[in-house]
Amino acid sequence: MEPVTSGAPPAKPAAPTRRAFLRWLGGLTVVSTAAMILTPIVGFLVPSSSGRAAGGGKTLVGTTADIAPGAGKVVAVGSKPAIVINTDQGVKAYSAICTHLGCVVAWNDMIGLIQCPCHDGRFNPTTGAVVSGPPPAPLPAVTVSVEGDQIFVTET
């Protein structure tokens, strides 16, 4: 048996109106704006997986050939800079963040000291103590070890 149909053509779905499209576009704008505002806030409040990594891992920062006696080098240890100096008393490492205003210090070959480029703060390469300038405290020491000719710094 054939189905009985009325003589009317099948109903077409209604075409979206301009008003419906603009309502959809407005909703999309609100959602995307909220996402742009909330994403950095959530990123700040929820630590990243690299931030949750346990400290204490050793990082290879160079060899004794890279840092000759009486020389120094700023290296990245995780997400923080450190300065490694090959002194007469052995290899020393300190945080490379100046204790005055947080600038990154550098090794100055001419004077044989760690120097902050911002306000000319100078630090002793053997102890990290302030030699001159405005820094209020010495550079914090970082654990360093030499294995063979490789220099490792331990993250804190």
Side-chain angles (χ1 to χ4, degrees):
M1 287 201 110
E2 288 187 30
V4 178
T5 60
S6 64
K12 283 175 107 178
T17 63
R18 185 188 316 177
R19 184 178 304 246
F21 175 73
L22 290 176
R23 188 174 294 136
W24 175 84
L25 190 60
L28 180 65
T29 303
V30 168
V31 169
S32 64
T33 301
M36 287 189 296
I37 291 171
L38 292 176
T39 299
I41 293 171
V42 170
F44 176 76
L45 294 175
V46 178
S48 66
S49 60
S50 64
R52 284 185 291 227
K58 289 189 337 183
T59 303
L60 176 65
V61 295
T63 64
T64 51
D66 295 337
I67 306 171
K73 177 181 175 183
V74 176
V75 295
V77 180
S79 62
K80 300 175 185 172
I83 186 162
V84 180
I85 303 109
N86 194 347
T87 68
D88 294 336
Q89 290 80 23
V91 178
K92 306 283 184 173
Y94 304 97
S95 168
I97 306 294
C98 181
T99 55
H100 178 229
L101 291 177
C103 300
V104 176
V105 298
W107 176 252
N108 187 328
D109 283 323
M110 300 284 287
I111 58 175
L113 294 173
I114 302 167
Q115 185 175 18
C116 178
C118 296
H119 296 104
D120 199 31
R122 297 177 184 191
F123 300 90
N124 184 318
T126 306
T127 63
V130 177
V131 174
S132 68
L139 293 173
V142 176
T143 306
V144 65
S145 62
V146 179
E147 298 174 11
D149 69 337
Q150 296 181 327
I151 301 170
F152 292 93
V153 174
T154 303
E155 297 179 47
T156 54

